[in-house]
Amino acid sequence: MFKSLGAFISGLFASEPKELIVKISKENQSGLYKTLELAKKVEEEKKKQAILAEKRAKVEAEKKAKLEAKQAAEKAKMEAKKAAEKAAEKAKLEAKKATEEAKAAQKKKK
């Protein structure tokens, strides 16, 4: 019993075999490499997403500008139509007034 207990205790304090240390070291390096590769991929994906977001924002801004221009053109068209209607009404009233004045002038002549 003491021999096995002594072997157990000496096994606890014994250094790791070199092959195991080398294997663990290689796995750590491999894990670190994979982590760095993943971090690089994440950064590239962030850049892609930023570019795509910028493009979407640009397209949305262009759509908004086109819509605003269209609305402004429609508003200007309606205002021009209203102004033309007012001018036509005014011309019509002036023509009616001129006609009445002409009739009144003819009556005076008779």
Side-chain angles (χ1 to χ4, degrees), residues 12-63:
L12 285 177
F13 296 108
S15 64
E16 297 287 333
K18 285 189 176 186
E19 299 89 28
L20 185 59
I21 293 173
V22 169
K23 184 178 177 184
I24 291 171
S25 176
K26 285 182 181 179
E27 287 179 8
N28 284 342
Q29 286 176 345
S30 174
L32 180 61
Y33 177 75
K34 288 178 183 176
T35 303
L36 292 174
E37 283 293 316
L38 183 60
K40 190 176 184 180
K41 287 180 182 179
V42 167
E43 286 299 318
E44 289 173 2
E45 187 63 28
K46 282 182 183 179
K47 287 178 185 178
K48 285 181 187 177
Q49 291 300 323
I51 290 169
L52 290 174
E54 187 177 318
K55 285 181 181 179
R56 282 192 296 269
K58 185 178 179 180
V59 168
E60 287 297 320
E62 287 174 357
K63 283 182 182 179

